[in-house]
């Protein structure tokens, strides 16, 4: 199931948009973000039960200007996503659970990590 259907949170919770990418590129991006410079952390990341996609939580409003090829950014229209132990999207689970760190991944940092991940994957595929 794609990671696009958000459940309704209580009105007091902040919203997040969801950037969905193919699993291979997403896993590379998570690695890149985790070894990045201070402040370039990764926020919560979801994976679907089918293993086809990863979803990065990003600040609300990101969907309006998201244009990274091979990915989709879904706005939550002010509904937000619940950041508790239960994943906010049915048929998913946390790859990087919400914690004390970043509440969402910075869109500019994610864009750069996804670009680097795509280049790494292309280079690896061309070496075969």
């Amino acid at each position: 199931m794609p990671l696009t259907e958000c459940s309704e949170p209580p009105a007091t919770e902040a919203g997040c948009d969801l950037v969905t990418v193919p699993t291979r590129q997403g896993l590379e991006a998570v690695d890149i973000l985790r070894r990045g410079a201070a402040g370039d952390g990764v926020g919560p990341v979801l994976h679907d039960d089918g293993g086809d996609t990863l979803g990065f939580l990003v600040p609300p409003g990101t969907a309006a200007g998201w244009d990274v090829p091979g990915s989709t950014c879904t706005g939550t229209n002010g509904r937000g996503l619940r950041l508790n132990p239960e994943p906010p999207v049915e048929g998913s689970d946390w790859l990087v659970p919400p914690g004390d760190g970043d509440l969402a991944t910075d869109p500019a940092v994610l864009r750069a990590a996804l670009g680097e991940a795509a280049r790494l994957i292309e280079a690896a595929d061309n070496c075969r």
Side-chain angles (χ1 to χ4, degrees), residues 11-124:
T12 59
E13 292 189 16
C16 287
D17 288 353
L18 186 69
V19 172
T20 307
V21 299
T23 298
R24 185 175 177 200
Q25 184 180 13
L27 290 173
E28 286 288 346
V30 168
D31 286 344
I32 291 164
L33 290 167
R34 283 187 167 164
R35 65 177 185 256
D40 288 352
V42 61
V45 179
L46 292 162
H47 68 85
D48 65 359
D49 285 341
D52 297 331
T53 59
L54 291 185
F56 292 81
L57 274 66
V58 292
T62 300
W66 192 257
D67 61 352
V68 176
S71 69
T72 305
C73 189
T74 305
T76 58
N77 299 322
R79 293 180 299 172
L81 296 172
R82 283 183 284 186
L83 296 181
N84 61 39
E86 295 300 317
V89 180
E90 188 175 328
S92 68
D93 203 353
W94 294 111
L95 175 69
V96 178
D100 296 333
D102 296 336
L103 294 177
T105 302
D106 180 288
V109 173
L110 179 58
R111 182 185 313 271
L114 290 172
E116 183 177 342
R119 289 186 296 278
L120 288 171
I121 290 167
E122 181 179 2

